[in-house]
Amino acid sequence: MCRIGAIKSKAPVHPSQALRLMMPQQEGHDNSGFAMVMQDLGGLFAPYPDLPLLSLACTQKGTQLVEDYMEARNFHRVFEWVPKPKRRTGQDIKAMPHYIFRCYDYPEQYAKAAWEEKQELLLDARLELRSLLEQQQAGYVYSFWPNVLTLKEIGKPHDIADYFRLWEDNGELQAKNIVVQCRQNTNYEVVRYAAHPFFLQGYTLCANGENTFFTRNRDFQRSLHRGYIGFESDSQNFLYTLHYVLHVLKWPVQYYKHVITPLPAAEMEGRKDGDALRLIRQSLAHLEINGPNTVIAMLPDGSLLSCCDGKKLRPVVIGGDAATKVITSEVCGLNAVLPRRKTEEDVYPHEREVVIITPDLEVQRWLQ
Amino acid sequence: MAPVMAQDVTVNDLPWLLEYSPERCQMCGKCLAVCTFQAIEAATERRLASPGGGNAPAYRLAPVIRQSGKLAEACVGCGMCAKVCPNRAIRPVRNPDSRSELLVRSGGLPAKRGGRNNLLKGRTLDEIVVGRISQMTDPALDSERHTFDIRAPFGRVLGAGALPLAAEGGLLQVTGKTPPVRWIYPVIFGDMSVGALSPRAWEAICLATAYLNEVHHLPVRMCTGEGGLPPGLLRSEHLQYMILQIASGHFGWNRIIAAMPEMQTDPAGILIKIGQGAKPGDGGLLPAVKVAEHIRAIRGVPKADLLSPPNHQGLYSIEESVQKMHLSMGAAFGFRVPVAIKCAASSTSVSVYNNLLRDPYQICGGFFLDGIQGGTGAANTVSLEHTGHPLVSKVRECYLAAVNQGRQGQVPLWAGGGIGMTGQAAADAFKLICLGANGVFIAKLLIQLCGCVGNENGRCNACHTGRCPVGICTQDPRLIRRLDVDKAAQNIVDYMLAFDSELRKLMAPVGNSSLPVGRSDALVSVDKAVADALAIAYAC
């Protein structure tokens, strides 16, 4: 079982907080990787909130491929953070030769383009880079989006953090929102792309569980959007459905839950939106999920969202104080980062609940 | 001594022989009385009484029960004689040296019979097992404790992008019309007409349908078959459980249309029958012998062989079919009732399905695929045995065609023809659903539950004769009385309750609480060729 977590804070926090959240949850766990998506960045990236930030791990050849591609597409490099690895003998990390965290300015022809147009440009660029790097076996691109940084690596989470100096809060790397997970895929092959959180056009998601409708979700999603690719993990199903419901269909956020775990027909009757719920269930039957799952997602506006499968077969807890809110798998992690919070205000959502933490840290609980 | 001619037909030429033990027989005559085929006759035979001491041996007359040697009175193996014999003195046995296939065409006419294909051996569904079981990485569900949502769509489903939805006050509201869709149990009682079946058999299935709906809350629907339905039912609330079939003969539809102003409720759906898996390319056939008075009243026809044309007259293309038939049937009920289509499985099924998926009117509410192992009340034997297409690969191909277009589920796929041939319909349904079907339709299984003794090894298959020994496929009032309608309905209800439990027993271990439509990863095949053809995993 994966352990997943997310921190949302009024002031930017350092990734070491995310590590402290996850470390107590490692009991009985294979600790095979570390992956996080940071959004609403502070530190070194604070001056560039509007510039797309490329997060990438690659070989020497990969760096050249990326340089050439970005130059050919008229993306102009504005800022770069190069991690200075701390190498020690015995470290358990399968590091890549190069890590790129680079802010670009948009091509000139996009100077006055609408945000909708830029979103498509950024997605296309990431997909093309991924394809390019895959063909040459030269690296992995995780996100290319303003104010979003993704780091993923294979190995022991403690050692990976050590390698990237994530334990040292020197003010360089900070964010108001961090979604984190400390494991590689254990069901199937260990592939860097298979580690959640996954990111697509402002939507970040990680999931703890096993989606037994993976095949039918995948078969349907493949034709829905060009960005729904990979399928290295069944958790990607959850992200793509979130993106489809909110970004493509532009439905209110609570309908995500209605799509992945629809109500029984009898319960739809009598609802104000019962007819709509029936149509949604009919049309998106192939996006329904099954099996044990808990989802933690981050939305483009920085809201955090959590919900579970229809039978609540995986744990999750939400807690916090006035400045910080946390969603995570096990309460021991919450206790490690927020020991003085009011535990009586912790929320253990049930199978019909959707919990949303808004940008101003209000915890909303919606009953499906 | 009479000369023996090589062409003479004798008992040894017939498909079934009666094994008779005179020493156990008490001459009660029950077997004679029960045999509807006159295959048993009472006679006297001259027997040697004693070798005798003198020149002339002594003889005696012995009363015997024996098999008729006439082809028209050939035993069909139904076993009713064995059922009624108090001493187990008689039973039919298969004759491996039968010459009957050579003899039945002696009138210069094609051979006819009922039942289903007898030549095709082996079943693809039995080469597939549910191989993906929840073990540790995810918990299996408890089929007795957890709730399951076992429903299937019947009606045209729109893609999400085409839904007329708008957010008002944070809630989505429907702002336009959408095609009617009914969420029903994933089993439809399939298309056996009120002429093919006796009134009692048809009523038993109606009773079971209503009972399952009203007492057990299983929304099972029943399709009428081509031939209309009784006037009382047309004007009752129970019409809501009935799917009205229209086929190329349009039998019964003048009465249906006449009753429309008096209908209390809409029917569950309309099913346009284009073809039938058991006899694709042949139209419906109701022999005159079965056209009883009530059939003539419902259909408005004289007593004659009722032959539906092999095709819907006046239609020359699929586009026309959609425009004329689907739209006119939809319009007849104010577009409140889903209209679906049933075709015999064929090499061309995917083309048909693609056309329905892409039809700009978005009106086809279901594609019913009927495989070669479906049954029939009467057909030319040559059609029954040699035409048609196996069901399973065609269902899969249709589903994958929809997947390639991102349109899976938009025209629900219903699979039939041989479901439950082994008696285990839940397993067949589950596997077909995993391969992409939304539900299944069953028919032969229902009459077998009523008491039909026919099978695909040549037993009985005499539905076309009007002499059904169990009162199911006959309109002879004396034979109909053999069927206990309540017991027949009870058997169907019991079976469906068991079916429902068994379906859960298959859903629970794969960790699914709703139907796993298209979840092909749940299946493995122990036959490599089957695995490859269906795009599922091979296991050994």
Side-chain angles (χ1 to χ4, degrees):
Chain A
M1 185 183 98
C2 295
R3 274 72 162 179
I4 52 180
I7 299 177
K8 181 164 188 58
S9 175
K10 280 187 175 166
V13 297
H14 186 254
S16 57
Q17 276 293 87
L19 283 157
R20 271 189 275 278
L21 172 69
M22 300 312 290
M23 282 302 150
Q25 302 184 55
Q26 303 297 300
E27 191 79 27
H29 195 274
D30 67 350
N31 305 313
S32 53
F34 176 77
M36 66 171 175
V37 175
M38 303 168 73
Q39 183 169 316
D40 297 322
L41 302 169
L44 294 173
F45 289 98
Y48 315 104
D50 298 324
L51 297 186
L53 164 55
L54 184 63
S55 299
L56 189 135
C58 61
T59 62
Q60 180 62 39
K61 187 177 174 187
T63 57
Q64 194 56 50
L65 286 169
V66 173
E67 297 259 350
D68 293 347
Y69 175 87
M70 297 305 273
E71 198 179 315
R73 296 292 182 282
N74 291 321
F75 282 103
H76 307 293
R77 189 195 304 190
V78 175
F79 175 75
E80 182 173 32
W81 173 65
V82 180
K84 297 176 193 71
K86 190 201 284 179
R87 293 189 177 86
R88 289 188 206 188
T89 49
Q91 259 177 345
D92 181 0
I93 175 171
K94 291 188 176 133
M96 291 290 289
H98 295 277
Y99 294 90
I100 293 175
F101 300 97
R102 206 177 274 165
C103 287
Y104 286 91
D105 202 354
Y106 288 99
E108 281 160 18
Q109 64 270 35
Y110 280 83
K112 291 180 181 170
W115 172 227
E116 283 70 26
E117 210 178 331
K118 287 179 179 167
Q119 292 182 69
E120 302 311 307
L121 171 75
L122 297 181
L123 174 61
D124 285 336
R126 179 172 66 80
L127 296 178
E128 283 168 24
L129 276 172
R130 175 172 170 153
S131 168
L132 203 63
L133 292 170
E134 258 173 359
Q135 281 167 22
Q136 305 283 325
Q137 296 185 319
Y140 306 87
V141 53
Y142 301 117
S143 59
F144 183 38
W145 204 255
N147 227 355
V148 170
L149 184 147
T150 306
L151 175 66
K152 294 188 182 187
E153 207 39 271
I154 299 169
K156 217 172 187 172
H158 193 283
D159 290 358
I160 295 170
D162 198 28
Y163 182 86
F164 287 105
R165 300 176 190 272
L166 297 182
W167 294 111
E168 304 160 22
D169 187 356
N170 54 14
E172 288 187 349
L173 215 52
Q174 289 180 334
K176 287 182 180 175
N177 303 294
I178 304 177
V179 181
V180 62
Q181 194 261 144
C182 286
R183 191 183 208 189
Q184 282 292 326
N185 196 340
T186 51
N187 285 1
Y188 304 103
E189 223 174 325
V190 173
V191 184
R192 281 178 176 79
Y193 280 132
H196 34 168
F198 301 105
F199 178 85
L200 176 63
Q201 288 193 315
Y203 296 85
T204 301
L205 186 142
C206 53
N208 161 24
E210 171 108 4
N211 177 16
T212 53
F213 273 169
F214 168 70
T215 300
R216 66 189 298 227
N217 283 181
R218 180 201 61 196
D219 288 350
F220 192 59
Q221 289 171 336
R222 272 182 174 152
S223 59
L224 286 180
H225 193 274
R226 70 188 188 290
Y228 304 166
I229 59 162
F231 297 99
E232 293 89 0
S233 158
D234 53 6
S235 300
Q236 285 163 330
N237 297 142
F238 294 93
L239 173 68
Y240 297 156
T241 296
L242 182 74
H243 178 270
Y244 187 64
V245 171
L246 301 187
H247 183 89
V248 179
L249 296 172
K250 304 193 189 312
W251 290 348
V253 66
Q254 68 265 35
Y255 289 93
Y256 175 61
K257 175 72 173 161
H258 284 295
V259 170
I260 61 170
T261 62
L263 291 172
E267 290 189 42
M268 291 179 189
E269 288 171 17
R271 294 235 179 181
K272 282 182 183 169
D273 57 352
D275 288 340
L277 293 178
R278 187 178 46 78
L279 291 181
I280 291 168
R281 182 172 189 189
Q282 276 168 202
S283 295
L284 295 179
H286 287 260
L287 293 184
E288 186 183 337
I289 60 121
N290 234 284
N293 283 287
T294 288
V295 168
I296 297 176
M298 181 161 59
L299 308 182
D301 69 354
S303 299
L304 294 182
L305 173 151
S306 182
C307 57
C308 301
D309 66 86
K311 295 193 166 28
K312 178 80 196 291
L313 294 168
R314 283 284 193 267
V316 69
V317 58
I318 292 126
D321 56 27
T324 311
K325 300 290 179 196
V326 167
I327 307 178
T328 195
S329 297
E330 295 180 347
V331 76
C332 56
L334 192 48
N335 292 341
V337 291
L338 293 169
R340 282 182 290 280
R341 75 189 188 285
K342 291 180 183 169
T343 53
E344 63 274 20
E345 290 177 3
D346 288 354
V347 177
Y348 292 86
H350 61 69
E351 69 273 13
R352 286 285 172 82
E353 263 185 297
V354 179
V355 176
I356 290 183
I357 303 175
T358 65
D360 54 3
L361 296 200
E362 184 193 357
V363 179
Q364 297 180 345
R365 301 172 67 179
W366 295 350
L367 188 64
Q368 184 187 8
Chain B
M1 196 175 91
V4 174
M5 302 303 292
Q7 291 78 15
D8 285 353
V9 177
T10 69
V11 166
N12 284 330
D13 295 315
L14 304 181
W16 292 83
L17 300 174
L18 286 174
E19 192 178 82
Y20 172 62
S21 309
E23 70 280 6
R24 300 180 69 98
C25 178
Q26 63 176 17
M27 295 288 163
C28 65
K30 285 183 177 172
C31 54
L32 249 89
V34 81
C35 180
T36 56
F37 302 97
Q38 286 81 50
I40 308 172
E41 58 187 22
T44 52
E45 290 177 351
R46 192 173 75 152
R47 299 276 171 80
L48 193 61
S50 68
N55 293 334
Y59 292 95
R60 63 180 174 85
L61 275 181
V64 294
I65 295 294
R66 68 183 184 194
Q67 183 173 2
S68 166
K70 295 176 192 163
L71 188 62
E73 296 171 351
C75 171
V76 299
C78 71
M80 293 302 284
C81 51
K83 201 172 256 186
V84 297
C85 178
N87 289 357
R88 298 183 188 173
I90 189 168
R91 70 183 186 111
V93 292
R94 236 175 267 280
N95 178 9
D97 301 314
S98 164
R99 296 176 64 241
S100 63
E101 281 298 329
L102 304 174
L103 303 173
V104 290
R105 294 166 178 84
S106 59
L109 293 170
K112 289 186 172 53
R113 68 171 179 83
R116 53 161 73 113
N117 187 298
N118 282 190
L119 287 183
L120 210 61
K121 302 299 176 197
R123 280 186 0 122
T124 307
L125 289 173
D126 295 334
E127 304 294 328
I128 299 170
V129 289
V130 182
R132 192 275 181 212
I133 310 298
S134 296
Q135 301 280 285
M136 292 180 68
T137 59
D138 60 311
L141 299 176
D142 184 332
S143 69
E144 307 293 331
R145 192 165 57 87
H146 280 117
T147 53
F148 291 80
D149 192 5
I150 303 177
R151 296 290 182 271
F154 179 60
R156 182 62 161 88
V157 173
L158 299 182
L163 292 178
L165 296 177
E168 288 172 22
L171 289 182
L172 286 175
Q173 299 297 331
V174 182
T175 57
K177 274 192 77 88
T178 55
V181 179
R182 310 265 197 269
W183 281 84
I184 61 177
Y185 198 71
V187 176
I188 290 175
F189 291 169
D191 335 2
M192 292 179 289
S193 76
V194 75
L197 298 189
S198 69
R200 282 199 185 188
W202 208 81
E203 187 186 346
I205 301 173
C206 288
L207 276 176
T209 305
Y211 196 86
L212 285 165
N213 275 278
E214 292 171 11
V215 178
H216 294 291
H217 309 295
L218 287 189
V220 172
R221 297 293 176 262
M222 169 178 172
C223 180
T224 59
E226 184 194 20
L229 57 173
L233 182 52
L234 271 173
R235 291 165 177 80
S236 84
E237 286 286 339
H238 292 114
L239 187 66
Q240 66 181 302
Y241 307 135
M242 308 300 288
I243 296 168
L244 309 182
Q245 183 171 101
I246 182 162
S248 55
H250 299 184
F251 289 123
W253 272 83
N254 47 355
R255 266 64 177 173
I256 293 173
I257 291 164
M260 282 174 69
E262 296 159 42
M263 284 181 182
Q264 306 296 306
T265 180
D266 284 330
I270 307 293
L271 185 61
I272 301 168
K273 177 191 162 189
I274 298 292
Q276 182 175 350
K279 45 180 177 181
D282 250 0
L285 168 59
L286 187 67
V289 68
K290 291 174 78 172
V291 185
E293 196 170 340
H294 66 280
I295 308 296
R296 298 202 287 277
I298 291 173
R299 299 193 181 195
V301 293
K303 188 169 179 68
D305 282 351
L306 301 182
L307 294 138
S308 298
N311 206 346
H312 286 259
Q313 303 300 296
L315 296 181
Y316 56 85
S317 70
I318 186 165
E319 292 83 357
E320 250 222 325
S321 157
V322 169
Q323 289 169 35
K324 276 190 182 171
M325 298 197 61
H326 282 80
L327 283 174
S328 56
M329 295 312 296
F333 290 94
F335 295 98
R336 298 184 307 272
V337 176
V339 181
I341 197 164
K342 172 176 151 180
C343 289
S346 154
S347 300
T348 61
S349 297
V350 173
S351 320
V352 175
Y353 191 50
N354 279 335
N355 274 278
L356 297 173
L357 281 169
R358 299 169 192 166
D359 133 51
Y361 301 94
Q362 298 186 312
I363 186 115
C364 182
F367 188 46
F368 284 58
L369 259 183
D370 195 12
I372 192 170
Q373 283 164 316
T376 175
N380 291 303
T381 306
V382 71
S383 301
L384 201 48
E385 301 286 30
H386 299 284
T387 62
H389 197 292
L391 172 71
V392 181
S393 63
K394 209 39 76 178
V395 168
R396 184 72 176 143
E397 286 167 28
C398 284
Y399 176 74
L400 292 177
V403 168
N404 287 337
Q405 301 164 66
R407 292 172 182 265
Q408 53 265 58
Q410 293 189 7
V411 175
L413 266 175
W414 289 78
I419 311 298
M421 272 174 78
T422 58
Q424 300 186 30
D428 289 355
F430 183 83
K431 292 171 189 176
L432 282 162
I433 287 169
C434 287
L435 291 171
N438 291 90
V440 298
F441 50 102
I442 57 173
K444 175 84 174 174
L445 177 65
L446 298 174
I447 58 172
Q448 287 175 319
L449 289 166
C450 290
C452 165
V453 294
N455 65 19
E456 35 294 336
N457 294 318
R459 191 182 192 200
C460 201
N461 291 332
C463 330
H464 63 303
T465 63
R467 294 189 284 174
C468 173
V470 289
I472 292 171
C473 288
T474 178
Q475 305 299 338
D476 182 331
R478 292 166 305 164
L479 299 181
I480 293 171
R481 277 197 287 276
R482 291 185 180 183
L483 187 68
D484 179 337
V485 65
D486 295 319
K487 181 64 185 157
Q490 181 67 53
N491 286 353
I492 294 174
V493 169
D494 287 347
Y495 188 89
M496 287 309 298
L497 296 179
F499 178 102
D500 192 53
S501 294
E502 288 177 349
L503 203 54
R504 290 161 203 254
K505 289 278 182 201
L506 291 167
M507 290 167 70
V510 303
N512 288 160
S513 54
S514 58
L515 289 177
V517 178
R519 238 204 101 179
S520 53
D521 60 301
L523 305 178
V524 296
S525 176
V526 292
D527 183 309
K528 182 77 170 71
V530 168
D532 290 347
L534 300 178
I536 60 175
Y538 165 65
C540 59

